[in-house]
Amino acid sequence: MTKTVYILNGPNLNLLGKRQPEIYGHDTLADVEAVCAELGEKIGLKTRLLQSNWEGQIIDWIHEARDAAQGIIINPAALTHTSVAVLDALNTFDGPVLEVHISNVHQRESFRHHSYVSQRADGVIAGFGVEGYALALRRMGRLLA
Ligand code: DHK
């Protein structure tokens, strides 16, 4: 059976490509979705990319992933630094969790240096631009092999 990976994206990432391109680049989330779908097909994974500006929706998708997915890649965006609730939700998920940040959060404001999600993540990618999603998906392929 083909394994499914949820690729979850938090607040403001719907504006990827338009929002602060000097930090987040010019690619859109639709571009990321297309790259991940193509790579996923190559390595035998089904991908489902989702984005919400609402914390509760991200949590509901993590709950859904408990039955519907074998792995989660998550860019929680600002929720990274604030949300115990997202961490708690990820702790209900049994499979691998990989955390992605487009920018190098450690080079930015100090409030971006701490991540609640890293406590659960099996790996973290930061500062590789949107390429980080593909790198995480490749890693997920190995973890789910
Ligand atoms: C995206 C955001 O929206 C910020 O709130 C995070 C993250 C960093 C990113 O680099 O993808 O601090």
Side-chain angles (χ1 to χ4, degrees):
M1 201 191 68
T2 309
K3 292 180 174 157
T4 299
V5 178
Y6 271 27
I7 304 173
L8 301 178
N9 294 275
N12 301 302
L13 288 169
N14 54 311
L15 295 180
L16 195 62
K18 293 183 195 141
R19 160 202 186 212
Q20 295 180 282
E22 68 287 1
I23 295 177
Y24 299 106
H26 293 277
D27 289 323
T28 66
L29 208 54
D31 295 330
V32 173
E33 186 173 26
V35 166
C36 288
E38 194 183 323
L39 175 60
E41 207 166 305
K42 234 187 256 173
I43 63 176
L45 295 175
K46 188 171 169 235
T47 56
R48 181 153 187 240
L49 187 142
L50 299 159
Q51 187 279 331
S52 179
N53 294 326
W54 296 86
E55 184 175 17
Q57 176 63 82
I58 300 286
I59 291 165
D60 284 346
W61 282 330
I62 294 169
H63 293 175
E64 186 184 297
R66 283 160 48 80
D67 293 323
Q70 285 65 50
I72 295 178
I73 293 171
I74 183 164
N75 182 348
L79 297 173
T80 307
H81 321 296
T82 62
S83 181
V84 175
V86 170
L87 171 63
D88 284 351
L90 289 170
N91 278 330
T92 74
F93 182 76
D94 286 335
V97 173
L98 299 176
E99 179 181 351
V100 172
H101 304 289
I102 296 163
S103 64
N104 180 359
V105 281
H106 301 290
Q107 203 176 52
R108 300 180 63 193
E109 304 95 321
S110 58
F111 63 82
R112 295 185 204 274
H113 297 177
H114 177 261
S115 165
Y116 284 103
V117 169
S118 292
Q119 193 133 38
R120 169 63 180 87
D122 298 288
V124 182
I125 290 177
F128 285 74
V130 292
E131 209 183 322
Y133 288 89
L135 294 171
L137 190 56
R138 278 199 185 279
R139 175 69 181 153
M140 189 59 84
R142 289 191 199 286
L143 292 173
L144 294 178

